[in-house]
Structures are given as structure tokens and as C-alpha cells.
Amino acid sequence: MTGAGLSAVTEQDLLALVAALERGDVRAPMSETGLRANGFGHLVDALRPYLKLGREGIHAVVDVVLAERRHRKAARLTLVWTGDDPGVSHSRHTRVLLPELFERARQHVLVAGYSIDHGAELFASLHRGMVDHGVTADLFVDVDQLAKRLEQAAKGAGQSWPLVSAPLVAAKGNVARGQAVVALFFRLMWPFGDPRPVVYFDPRTADRQSAVSLHAKCVVIDHEYTLITSANFTDRGQTRNLEAGVAIEDRGFAASLERQWLNLVDAGVVVRA
């Protein structure tokens, strides 16, 4: 969220900060240590210009920010659809919208997906943005499902899966298996080379016996544009199934969704490959 300032801080976080000041949990002038100790460490960068303010000054800043948000334009929502679309429609097709979102990116992209295939086609516009505009990207994946898709990709390319998957077989433990799967992802589904996204996974999804899945399918572009969809990042999900989703243009919502994922990173629920 670098450079986004208070625009990337959710209303819930602003109200929680004011409440903490009223209780005396956080004292003004604020300090980075005090913020981190009270669960506001993710706000340090955004609040750094205001650390020297007294309590009344902080209240005034929060009041102005909240008043501006309540009077700004409403979030823009667009229906996103995959599959048969008879009759009059005001939807955007998933297969068309997703590359458009990647092409729009100039700062950062967050992608979370359960099932992924045809990576060379799916991520081509994202990689161009990373090369041409310095876009950074975070990718959250389900290890077991990704491994199954990588097996299909290897066999489709005429490669021997027992040979290709040898590092997976040799991996000891869920984290090691997740890292091996991500390495194969870059080999089989990310043919572009550097730069690459930072990939995160929940180690529980590397355990074939686990009942836990990373089943979300969402994209956040530049801390402002969000896609939430039932469609997997697969050929079927993008072109053939009946799938529904919504594209949302709203900084507050985008920041809230990004914070959900970053909370998982901060808590160690998901780990970096």
C-alpha cells in the first residue's frame, strides 16, 4: 500500500484507532511501537505523517477522512459473467475483463485462486505490466489443487510426470511440498522468467488429507479495482462454465480485501514460497 496514504486505510481501522485513543490503549502523540503493540502495525506507514499530532489533531484528521468518504461517489459495480448469456445483458465476460484488469495495473496486483491452468495465456498481460511499469504482484494459491493442474500441464506438454514431479515426492513436510509445487508452477505455468510474483500458500493445503482449501477467487488492482468471482482461473472457469462475479471500483473495499490477505501473511497462516 505504499504511497496510498490514508486512502488505503479502511473505515473500520480508522474507527478502531479513535476508540483505542479514547481508551488510552494508544497514546498521542503516537509512536510506531505503540501502534504495533496494539494491533495497528499495518497502519504505521500510512500514519507516519501524523505521529506528532495530539489526540484532538488525530480526531480532526479522521473526521475529515471519514466525511470525505461518505460524500464521495458510490462504489461502481459491474456484473461479470462466464458462459451462455442470452437476451439483453449488461455484464462483462470474465475472459475479457481479467486481462483488461491486469493491463490496467500500474502499481500492484493481488491474485488469489483455487484452480489455475493455461498460465502462459492467463498471466501474459500481468507480466507485461511487471516489465513495462514495474508492477509488483502477490499470488495466493492452493497447493494440492495447483499440483493436480501442473500434472495435467506436464502430461499435456508430453513430459513425464514421475520425472517432473520428483521434487514433490522428495519434499518432506507441507511447507517443503508447497515450495516444490510453486517451483514447478514457475517452470510449467510462468514461461516469462523474471520478474515474478511473490507466491504465498497455506501449508495445510499441501496435505492431501486436509479438509482445508484456499477456495477464494479474487483480484485486486492498484488498491482500487477488485474482481470477486465464482470462476476459477482455468479455461473452463473463464470460457465455458456458468460463473458469476462482480467487479468493484472502490478503494475502501479493495483495501479491506487486501488487508484480509495480509492479515493471513502477518499471522503466519499463509507462508511465502
Side-chain angles (χ1 to χ4, degrees), residues 99-109 123-137 190 192 194-196 221-222:
E100 286 183 3
L101 287 174
F102 287 153
E103 290 169 1
R104 174 180 284 185
R106 292 296 182 270
Q107 301 172 36
H108 181 74
V109 172
F123 295 119
S125 54
L126 171 59
H127 184 257
R128 283 197 301 271
M130 298 175 76
V131 172
D132 296 342
H133 305 291
V135 172
T136 57
W190 186 271
F192 321 107
D194 293 331
R196 299 179 175 186
I221 305 294
D222 290 348

Side-chain angles (χ1 to χ4, degrees), residues 154-155 158-170 184 187-188:
K155 290 179 177 178
Q159 301 181 34
S160 168
W161 178 244
L163 183 61
V164 170
S165 64
L168 276 64
V169 177
L184 276 182
R187 175 178 170 182
L188 296 173

Side-chain angles (χ1 to χ4, degrees), residues 117-234:
D117 64 22
H118 69 293
E121 176 186 347
L122 179 68
F123 295 119
S125 54
L126 171 59
H127 184 257
R128 283 197 301 271
M130 298 175 76
V131 172
D132 296 342
H133 305 291
V135 172
T136 57
D138 294 327
L139 175 61
F140 295 80
V141 300
D142 182 284
V143 174
D144 190 53
Q145 182 61 211
L146 182 57
K148 293 175 182 176
R149 291 295 183 175
L150 289 168
E151 180 177 1
Q152 294 175 359
K155 290 179 177 178
Q159 301 181 34
S160 168
W161 178 244
L163 183 61
V164 170
S165 64
L168 276 64
V169 177
K172 303 298 182 182
N174 292 342
V175 172
R177 183 168 189 266
Q179 292 171 336
V181 169
V182 172
L184 276 182
F185 164 79
F186 284 121
R187 175 178 170 182
L188 296 173
M189 288 193 186
W190 186 271
F192 321 107
D194 293 331
R196 299 179 175 186
V198 176
V199 181
Y200 297 92
F201 63 91
D202 184 332
R204 293 172 296 180
T205 69
D207 183 350
R208 296 183 182 90
Q209 306 304 316
S210 174
V212 176
S213 296
L214 194 159
H215 206 252
K217 303 100 176 175
C218 58
V219 177
V220 182
I221 305 294
D222 290 348
H223 321 296
E224 182 171 5
Y225 305 97
T226 302
L227 171 65
I228 296 181
T229 176
S230 67
N232 282 310
F233 299 105
T234 62

